[in-house]
Amino acid sequence: MTSLLEMRGIVRCFGPLRANDGIDLTVEAGHILGLLGENGSGKSTLMKVLFGMLPPDAGTIAFRGRPLAGHHPREAMEAGIAMIHQHFMLVEAMTVTENVMLGWPDAGRILKRGEVAERVRETSRRFGLDLDPHVPIAGLSLGRRQRVEILKAILRKADLLILDEPTSNLAPPEVADLLSILRRLKSEGKGIVFISHKLPEVLEVCDDVVVLRAGRVTGRAPVAGASRAQLAEMMVGRDITAPHALTPREPGPSRVVARELSAAGLSPLSFEIRGGEILGVAGVDGNGQLELVDAIAGLNRARGGTLVLDGNDITHASVAARVAAGMAYMPADRGHRALVRDMTVAENLMLRDSRREPYARGWLLDAAGRTRSARRLMADYDIRAAGPGAITARLSGGNQQKVVIARELDRSPAVLVAHQAAWGLDPGATRFVLDRVIGLRDAGAAVLYVSSELEEVLAISDRIAVMSGGAFVAIVRRADADLRQIGLWMAGRAA
Amino acid sequence: MTIDIIAAAIRIATPLLFAALGGLLSERSGVFAVGLEGMMLAGAFAAIIGASATGSALGGIALAIVGGAIIATAVAVIAVRYRADNMVTGLAANILALGLTSYLLRVIAGGGAPASIHLDPLASWPIPYLSDIPTIGPLLFDQPPLTYLAVIGCVLMSLFLRRTQAGLTLTATGENPEAVFASGSSPMRVRMIAIITGGAIAGLGGAVLSLQQVGTFTDGMTGGRGYLALASLIVGRWTPWGAAIACLAFGAAEALELRMQTFGVPVSSYIVQMVPYLIALAVLAGIGRSSRMPASIGQPLPR
């Protein structure tokens, strides 16, 4: 019997970089294959080659025994391959039905709206997707949007589904729903490639796992016999699963005190963060996290209540005054809000302090001081770039975030507000970021750590606040945290 | 008097509607239609040349389509293929069309002076029976041919956008080109075809001005109507019927202005001429998140 998909010796280069360096991959019908690897390990490139978005430099692809070469996404789809991208390929202004019809030959050149809507309804029922055909995408949660993509794949009679980091934006209950949908698809004989760098999910849902590192396959194993530590080591070449060393310490006095603090998109919030303490904020993205961090950083104007930092009322203070009082901020959108992508590493490192030494002398900028300082920070924070003059946009995501960390942490802040600080980073870089945040806590700073990755929040927080609908549903100590309960709170269900 | 104003409004709205429909294709695909003025002007020029060379209005109409499409092709290649800024490209196209038509008009004459071509404006085609209805018959059903075509164009455009796969793909390209790429079409191809087809339709608007209404071409005869079409497209919220209503409203405003001048109403005509643009600005200012403005308009395609 031939395999559903056989990729042999795939090579794809970008300039001198061999993103895929002779990769073999086989997927069987009715199997879920986990494709593990860090960012930049070649997972996405391999899948883009398969889906016809990038031509390979060498290698062959056979799908259901038939060769697939020189193809475009259209041919891949016609052959029965569906790709569910990490960023959904949906048109927000259009309804579920319209998105299903887009580019689908069965919808007809003259659109058969009613007929397609009926098929959407029926398929949604059969697979437990719970989708209304006439709702615009803009009104759907990310979990629902993902199901629209899965629905599109099912209706297009795809035999192979590729899911790229499918759980990265989902709340735990949504992840559970997704995994059960995948199992149902598997039982109907579909082949699935599950791309992820999250080990627990891969272990839970996959039958086999293939690990990529630096463009090569470094391991393949049935999930049944694999251990988490083994897989992690194959991924990064070292064991990074050891838990974070969050040494219990008696927190100091309160450094941040919010009393009934309210702002656009925020219900009145009250909380305290003490020196040497990390308050983690868990929650599904879009439940007020951005409004919260912006309110503390001074970008979202307070409408009521008070915010006190080390005894000073900063409720209505300007951003500059907050920075002067010792606040550091790592926004979620590092490409736009934390960094000026087209400027150099050295320039980004001086952004907040450009009026002071060593960056400035009087009215003039000090180029030599800037370069010296940048070299030191690049060494201290392990920023891998060609030099201080390298353009920031050319750096990997992990190194960009290290630039932000270096800038924000080197000032030894009193308070760090970090939002999705490890978002999109691979395990190695995540580890670096979290270790630095913990280091800051151990040095006595107060840290507000906001992330939609529950595991991350649990790993490094002294206390955990769960956010839903712009309010804190609950604040619990880490020792008292009940994962299932937190999941329910995140999904917006009261205790 | 009211009848007169309605008749004048329809007359003024017709070229605007063609241009607005052409611009609609471009903007729905995600490219600002700033070059409408140039496409109309090229169409107006080509219509007169075509009609006088072939001796037939059909020849003029055919060449107007080609003329508008040529300017649009330049816009499509530069703004889509080479990802240049939409505004700059559109304005450049307008200046190019103005210079090119004025130059060619002199080349044709052979001397330094512009050629003077005068044709009879297109006669009206009364629709049997309907045009006999008192009052509204002569008003609505005794129009020159391109006016009927504009209405038909509006109907077809509306059906195209709502009922066809191609229309859905067009709208999706203006909203999220990556989704179109992932669905197996080429957003670049969609945008190119949309702009060039739109230019051809805008060229027809130029033909209405030169061939249907006055029978001659003069330098820069579109006189800002391309921008007015763009404004009606925005006020009409990127829908064919919305644009048609906006064109009629602008036409009525202009007709009213002419009457006011005739009757010596002491309001400067310049103030009245500003009205459509002020409305367009107000609508643009009022566009928030809930707007129907194509989400990816003005953004070059990802590489």
Side-chain angles (χ1 to χ4, degrees):
Chain A
M1 195 191 104
T2 54
S3 298
L4 184 60
L5 172 73
E6 282 194 53
M7 299 177 85
R8 291 268 165 267
I10 300 295
V11 176
R12 168 71 204 200
C13 302
F14 295 103
L17 176 75
R18 295 174 80 83
N20 282 177
D21 195 3
I23 294 179
D24 296 342
L25 191 79
T26 308
V27 185
E28 308 291 343
H31 269 66
I32 304 183
L33 175 79
L35 188 58
L36 268 174
E38 294 195 285
N39 293 338
S41 61
K43 296 172 301 199
S44 299
T45 304
L46 183 67
M47 290 301 115
K48 281 182 177 163
V49 167
L50 169 59
F51 199 56
M53 295 166 88
L54 286 175
D57 296 325
T60 59
I61 304 171
F63 186 66
R64 285 192 294 207
R66 283 211 301 274
L68 201 58
H71 58 298
H72 290 280
R74 182 182 285 275
E75 281 91 1
M77 279 186 282
E78 280 165 3
I81 301 174
M83 179 125 166
I84 293 166
H85 298 263
Q86 191 175 357
H87 302 286
F88 304 136
M89 295 295 173
L90 298 171
V91 181
E92 291 194 16
M94 294 183 173
T95 64
V96 172
T97 302
E98 284 171 330
N99 271 282
V100 167
M101 292 191 299
L102 181 62
W104 188 30
D106 283 21
R109 294 170 84 88
I110 305 296
L111 298 171
K112 299 174 226 164
R113 269 172 199 275
E115 201 178 298
V116 174
E118 192 42 51
R119 287 179 69 176
V120 167
R121 208 181 316 253
E122 176 199 317
T123 311
S124 164
R125 201 178 304 128
R126 188 153 72 92
F127 286 88
L129 302 178
D130 190 22
L131 289 169
D132 178 343
H134 301 299
V135 171
I137 300 297
L140 296 181
S141 70
L142 291 172
R144 284 261 159 76
R145 292 182 194 197
Q146 185 174 55
R147 294 186 208 168
V148 176
E149 292 281 23
I150 293 174
L151 177 85
K152 278 164 65 179
I154 297 170
L155 285 174
R156 283 168 169 75
K157 301 197 170 52
D159 294 315
L160 177 68
L161 276 77
I162 306 161
L163 293 106
D164 190 3
E165 303 281 354
T167 59
S168 51
N169 294 316
L170 305 184
E174 287 181 317
V175 172
D177 288 349
L178 171 68
L179 298 188
S180 77
I181 291 168
L182 294 185
R183 289 195 192 94
R184 179 132 23 157
L185 288 166
K186 172 184 151 178
S187 72
E188 299 221 347
K190 311 274 189 202
I192 295 173
V193 180
F194 187 94
I195 305 175
S196 182
H197 56 237
K198 290 186 203 160
L199 294 167
E201 287 156 8
V202 170
L203 291 173
E204 188 183 338
V205 76
C206 297
D207 298 303
D208 305 290
V209 58
V210 168
V211 184
L212 295 188
R213 172 154 39 103
R216 291 171 170 277
V217 175
T218 52
R220 53 181 97 228
V223 157
S227 84
R228 205 174 152 158
Q230 260 177 342
L231 291 175
E233 201 165 336
M234 288 183 208
M235 242 163 108
V236 292
R238 61 185 190 280
D239 183 8
I240 46 112
T241 51
H244 294 273
L246 199 61
T247 45
R249 71 197 293 282
E250 194 51 41
S254 289
R255 301 198 79 163
V256 179
V257 181
R259 288 270 164 269
E260 298 290 314
L261 181 69
S262 66
L266 279 188
S267 311
L269 291 176
S270 298
F271 59 91
E272 290 185 14
I273 313 173
R274 297 160 76 176
E277 185 187 44
I278 298 178
L279 176 63
V281 178
V284 181
D285 243 357
N287 272 289
Q289 290 97 327
L290 179 64
E291 288 77 5
L292 170 66
V293 293
D294 276 357
I296 298 173
L299 301 170
N300 186 5
R301 201 175 301 163
R303 286 190 183 152
T306 56
L307 180 66
V308 173
L309 169 60
D310 282 342
N312 304 313
D313 186 336
I314 56 162
T315 316
H316 301 289
S318 68
V319 173
R322 287 172 205 236
V323 170
M327 182 169 304
Y329 179 35
M330 294 174 64
D333 184 1
R334 59 180 158 263
H336 294 102
R337 295 183 66 182
L339 296 167
V340 184
R341 290 165 52 85
D342 293 331
M343 289 189 353
T344 65
V345 171
E347 286 167 334
N348 271 296
L349 284 170
M350 76 164 183
L351 272 183
R352 270 187 196 271
D353 297 305
S354 57
R355 284 158 205 225
R356 288 208 298 268
E357 287 197 351
Y359 300 109
R361 248 189 256 166
W363 289 87
L364 297 174
L365 291 175
D366 180 350
R370 172 168 71 213
T371 308
R372 220 178 315 114
S373 174
R375 285 195 196 289
R376 178 180 66 76
L377 289 171
M378 287 173 72
D380 286 357
Y381 289 86
D382 189 27
I383 300 167
R384 291 181 205 160
I391 298 298
T392 312
R394 304 253 168 83
L395 271 56
S396 71
N399 280 304
Q400 290 185 13
Q401 190 68 326
K402 285 177 185 174
V403 173
V404 179
I405 291 192
R407 185 179 70 209
E408 300 299 321
L409 264 49
D410 199 58
R411 57 189 29 253
S412 306
V415 177
L416 171 69
V417 179
H419 188 199
Q420 302 282 36
W423 189 84
L425 304 185
D426 56 50
T430 301
R431 181 84 196 190
F432 180 91
V433 170
L434 299 188
D435 282 349
R436 290 289 172 154
V437 171
I438 292 169
L440 187 71
R441 159 203 186 256
D442 292 342
V447 178
L448 184 77
Y449 190 88
V450 182
S451 172
S452 54
E453 300 283 346
L454 182 53
E455 203 182 339
E456 216 175 279
V457 173
L458 285 171
I460 73 161
S461 304
D462 294 292
R463 285 184 300 142
I464 296 146
V466 183
M467 205 167 189
S468 177
F472 283 167
V473 186
I475 302 184
V476 294
R477 302 171 63 81
R478 179 158 78 147
D480 308 332
D482 169 4
L483 207 57
R484 201 188 55 85
Q485 180 61 59
I486 290 181
L488 290 176
W489 279 330
M490 283 171 70
R493 288 168 227 170
Chain B
M1 154 114 184
T2 322
I3 300 289
D4 276 3
I5 289 180
I6 293 172
I10 291 173
R11 186 184 138 88
I12 296 164
T14 308
L16 295 184
L17 181 55
F18 274 115
L21 290 176
L24 189 91
L25 282 178
S26 169
E27 298 223 335
R28 283 268 191 148
S29 82
V31 179
F32 284 113
V34 183
L36 283 181
E37 176 82 2
M39 298 171 199
M40 276 182 98
L41 191 61
F45 173 77
I48 290 297
I49 300 302
S52 74
T54 62
S56 140
L58 272 182
I61 289 168
L63 209 62
I65 289 172
V66 174
I70 287 174
I71 299 292
T73 304
V75 171
V77 170
I78 296 167
V80 181
R81 174 69 186 80
Y82 293 103
R83 300 179 170 81
D85 182 89
N86 291 179
M87 299 294 167
V88 175
T89 311
L91 290 173
N94 293 344
I95 296 166
L96 168 77
L98 180 61
L100 197 62
T101 51
S102 301
Y103 168 70
L104 289 176
L105 197 63
R106 284 154 183 80
V107 169
I108 290 164
S116 158
I117 304 171
H118 289 279
L119 309 167
D120 290 330
L122 297 186
S124 63
W125 289 2
I127 298 179
Y129 307 113
L130 287 178
S131 59
D132 297 334
I133 303 170
T135 317
I136 63 161
L139 187 63
L140 300 180
F141 303 110
D142 187 11
Q143 300 284 354
L146 290 176
T147 306
Y148 298 126
L149 189 62
V151 177
I152 293 168
C154 206
V155 174
L156 291 179
M157 184 69 80
S158 188
L159 289 175
F160 169 75
L161 291 173
R162 277 189 295 143
R163 299 284 171 83
T164 68
Q165 177 70 245
L168 190 70
T169 306
L170 175 79
T171 306
T173 305
E175 294 288 339
N176 183 356
E178 286 191 48
V180 172
F181 182 61
S183 80
S185 305
S186 156
M188 183 171 289
R189 212 173 107 94
V190 173
R191 282 190 175 177
M192 301 269 271
I193 293 173
I195 295 172
I196 294 169
T197 313
I201 298 174
L204 282 174
V208 174
L209 285 176
S210 62
L211 192 65
Q212 173 163 303
Q213 296 185 343
V214 291
T216 187
F217 179 85
T218 51
D219 292 344
M221 75 179 295
T222 43
R225 285 181 181 80
Y227 297 104
L228 199 54
L230 188 58
S232 44
L233 170 61
I234 293 163
V235 173
R237 293 291 182 126
W238 293 270
T239 63
W241 292 111
I245 291 167
C247 289
L248 275 175
F250 290 166
E254 196 176 325
L256 199 63
E257 173 219 329
L258 295 172
R259 296 300 179 286
M260 277 159 61
Q261 279 175 307
T262 318
F263 291 100
V265 179
V267 176
S268 165
S269 66
Y270 297 110
I271 299 283
V272 182
Q273 280 169 12
M274 277 161 41
V275 169
Y277 298 99
L278 289 177
I279 297 174
L281 279 176
V283 169
L284 270 178
I287 285 175
R289 286 188 177 174
S290 62
S291 83
R292 302 237 188 90
M293 186 159 177
S296 79
I297 194 164
Q299 293 167 11
L301 293 172
R303 282 167 200 277

